[in-house]
mmCIF file of all heavy atoms in Angstrom:
data_model
loop_
_atom_site.group_PDB
_atom_site.id
_atom_site.type_symbol
_atom_site.label_atom_id
_atom_site.label_comp_id
_atom_site.label_asym_id
_atom_site.label_seq_id
_atom_site.Cartn_x
_atom_site.Cartn_y
_atom_site.Cartn_z
ATOM 1 N N ASP A 526 2.409 -143.307 -46.582
ATOM 2 C CA ASP A 526 1.574 -144.489 -46.230
ATOM 3 C C ASP A 526 0.681 -144.307 -45.019
ATOM 4 O O ASP A 526 0.030 -145.195 -44.557
ATOM 5 C CB ASP A 526 2.433 -145.691 -46.063
ATOM 6 C CG ASP A 526 3.429 -145.632 -44.919
ATOM 7 O OD1 ASP A 526 3.559 -144.461 -44.422
ATOM 8 O OD2 ASP A 526 4.020 -146.683 -44.531
ATOM 9 N N GLU A 527 0.731 -143.030 -44.525
ATOM 10 C CA GLU A 527 -0.160 -142.811 -43.357
ATOM 11 C C GLU A 527 -1.637 -142.667 -43.814
ATOM 12 O O GLU A 527 -1.904 -142.406 -44.946
ATOM 13 C CB GLU A 527 0.303 -141.550 -42.606
ATOM 14 C CG GLU A 527 1.558 -141.861 -41.748
ATOM 15 C CD GLU A 527 1.932 -140.721 -40.842
ATOM 16 O OE1 GLU A 527 2.487 -139.728 -41.258
ATOM 17 O OE2 GLU A 527 1.632 -140.826 -39.604
ATOM 18 N N ASP A 528 -2.496 -142.878 -42.801
ATOM 19 C CA ASP A 528 -3.938 -142.927 -43.030
ATOM 20 C C ASP A 528 -4.457 -141.500 -42.810
ATOM 21 O O ASP A 528 -4.414 -140.995 -41.721
ATOM 22 C CB ASP A 528 -4.544 -143.884 -42.030
ATOM 23 C CG ASP A 528 -5.944 -144.277 -42.223
ATOM 24 O OD1 ASP A 528 -6.590 -143.665 -43.151
ATOM 25 O OD2 ASP A 528 -6.432 -145.155 -41.511
ATOM 26 N N ILE A 529 -4.908 -140.859 -43.942
ATOM 27 C CA ILE A 529 -5.217 -139.431 -43.859
ATOM 28 C C ILE A 529 -6.655 -139.119 -44.304
ATOM 29 O O ILE A 529 -7.127 -139.704 -45.327
ATOM 30 C CB ILE A 529 -4.314 -138.620 -44.849
ATOM 31 C CG1 ILE A 529 -2.809 -139.023 -44.695
ATOM 32 C CG2 ILE A 529 -4.493 -137.163 -44.641
ATOM 33 C CD1 ILE A 529 -1.960 -138.669 -45.842
ATOM 34 N N VAL A 530 -7.328 -138.320 -43.555
ATOM 35 C CA VAL A 530 -8.627 -137.793 -44.020
ATOM 36 C C VAL A 530 -8.549 -136.330 -44.162
ATOM 37 O O VAL A 530 -8.157 -135.583 -43.255
ATOM 38 C CB VAL A 530 -9.762 -138.135 -43.021
ATOM 39 C CG1 VAL A 530 -11.058 -137.456 -43.490
ATOM 40 C CG2 VAL A 530 -9.962 -139.659 -42.838
ATOM 41 N N ALA A 531 -8.768 -135.815 -45.362
ATOM 42 C CA ALA A 531 -8.784 -134.342 -45.574
ATOM 43 C C ALA A 531 -10.243 -133.944 -45.753
ATOM 44 O O ALA A 531 -11.066 -134.641 -46.325
ATOM 45 C CB ALA A 531 -7.991 -133.998 -46.861
ATOM 46 N N VAL A 532 -10.581 -132.783 -45.215
ATOM 47 C CA VAL A 532 -11.926 -132.249 -45.237
ATOM 48 C C VAL A 532 -12.088 -131.271 -46.367
ATOM 49 O O VAL A 532 -11.352 -130.312 -46.515
ATOM 50 C CB VAL A 532 -12.328 -131.611 -43.877
ATOM 51 C CG1 VAL A 532 -13.769 -131.140 -43.908
ATOM 52 C CG2 VAL A 532 -12.091 -132.581 -42.713
ATOM 53 N N LEU A 533 -13.079 -131.533 -47.261
ATOM 54 C CA LEU A 533 -13.509 -130.612 -48.232
ATOM 55 C C LEU A 533 -14.721 -129.815 -47.633
ATOM 56 O O LEU A 533 -15.730 -130.427 -47.370
ATOM 57 C CB LEU A 533 -13.945 -131.264 -49.561
ATOM 58 C CG LEU A 533 -12.788 -132.091 -50.179
ATOM 59 C CD1 LEU A 533 -13.286 -132.705 -51.450
ATOM 60 C CD2 LEU A 533 -11.563 -131.201 -50.466
ATOM 61 N N THR A 534 -14.560 -128.510 -47.455
ATOM 62 C CA THR A 534 -15.528 -127.789 -46.640
ATOM 63 C C THR A 534 -16.689 -127.215 -47.458
ATOM 64 O O THR A 534 -17.742 -126.942 -46.830
ATOM 65 C CB THR A 534 -14.735 -126.583 -45.971
ATOM 66 O OG1 THR A 534 -13.889 -126.014 -46.946
ATOM 67 C CG2 THR A 534 -13.923 -127.111 -44.767
ATOM 68 N N GLY A 535 -16.536 -127.002 -48.703
ATOM 69 C CA GLY A 535 -17.561 -126.356 -49.491
ATOM 70 C C GLY A 535 -17.752 -126.892 -50.913
ATOM 71 O O GLY A 535 -16.855 -127.556 -51.469
ATOM 72 N N HIS A 536 -18.873 -126.626 -51.531
ATOM 73 C CA HIS A 536 -19.275 -127.134 -52.806
ATOM 74 C C HIS A 536 -18.624 -126.369 -53.972
ATOM 75 O O HIS A 536 -18.431 -125.197 -53.943
ATOM 76 C CB HIS A 536 -20.786 -127.071 -52.931
ATOM 77 C CG HIS A 536 -21.415 -127.856 -54.013
ATOM 78 N ND1 HIS A 536 -21.393 -127.477 -55.325
ATOM 79 C CD2 HIS A 536 -22.022 -129.022 -53.970
ATOM 80 C CE1 HIS A 536 -22.001 -128.399 -56.035
ATOM 81 N NE2 HIS A 536 -22.396 -129.335 -55.239
ATOM 82 N N LEU A 537 -18.371 -127.104 -55.040
ATOM 83 C CA LEU A 537 -17.762 -126.545 -56.317
ATOM 84 C C LEU A 537 -18.514 -125.283 -56.784
ATOM 85 O O LEU A 537 -17.934 -124.384 -57.297
ATOM 86 C CB LEU A 537 -17.715 -127.649 -57.349
ATOM 87 C CG LEU A 537 -17.164 -127.281 -58.726
ATOM 88 C CD1 LEU A 537 -16.384 -128.426 -59.292
ATOM 89 C CD2 LEU A 537 -18.341 -127.011 -59.675
ATOM 90 N N LEU A 538 -19.837 -125.374 -56.769
ATOM 91 C CA LEU A 538 -20.657 -124.317 -57.397
ATOM 92 C C LEU A 538 -20.658 -122.980 -56.550
ATOM 93 O O LEU A 538 -21.305 -121.982 -56.987
ATOM 94 C CB LEU A 538 -22.103 -124.760 -57.631
ATOM 95 C CG LEU A 538 -22.239 -125.793 -58.747
ATOM 96 C CD1 LEU A 538 -23.702 -126.256 -58.810
ATOM 97 C CD2 LEU A 538 -21.880 -125.151 -60.082
ATOM 98 N N LYS A 539 -20.044 -122.948 -55.393
ATOM 99 C CA LYS A 539 -20.026 -121.764 -54.614
ATOM 100 C C LYS A 539 -19.301 -120.599 -55.315
ATOM 101 O O LYS A 539 -19.607 -119.443 -55.146
ATOM 102 C CB LYS A 539 -19.304 -122.042 -53.262
ATOM 103 C CG LYS A 539 -20.105 -122.873 -52.320
ATOM 104 C CD LYS A 539 -21.184 -122.086 -51.711
ATOM 105 C CE LYS A 539 -21.845 -122.893 -50.545
ATOM 106 N NZ LYS A 539 -22.847 -122.067 -49.802
ATOM 107 N N ASP A 540 -18.228 -120.983 -56.073
ATOM 108 C CA ASP A 540 -17.375 -119.891 -56.661
ATOM 109 C C ASP A 540 -17.164 -120.163 -58.153
ATOM 110 O O ASP A 540 -16.054 -120.499 -58.570
ATOM 111 C CB ASP A 540 -16.062 -119.846 -55.867
ATOM 112 C CG ASP A 540 -15.349 -118.547 -56.081
ATOM 113 O OD1 ASP A 540 -15.658 -117.800 -57.097
ATOM 114 O OD2 ASP A 540 -14.387 -118.221 -55.341
ATOM 115 N N PRO A 541 -18.217 -120.045 -58.981
ATOM 116 C CA PRO A 541 -18.063 -120.375 -60.454
ATOM 117 C C PRO A 541 -17.133 -119.451 -61.159
ATOM 118 O O PRO A 541 -16.440 -119.836 -62.115
ATOM 119 C CB PRO A 541 -19.477 -120.388 -60.944
ATOM 120 C CG PRO A 541 -20.302 -119.593 -59.908
ATOM 121 C CD PRO A 541 -19.591 -119.760 -58.641
#
Side-chain angles (χ1 to χ4, degrees):
D526 63 348
E527 285 189 281
D528 191 352
I529 310 160
V530 175
V532 181
L533 300 180
T534 43
H536 196 280
L537 177 144
L538 287 174
K539 289 283 190 176
D540 198 345

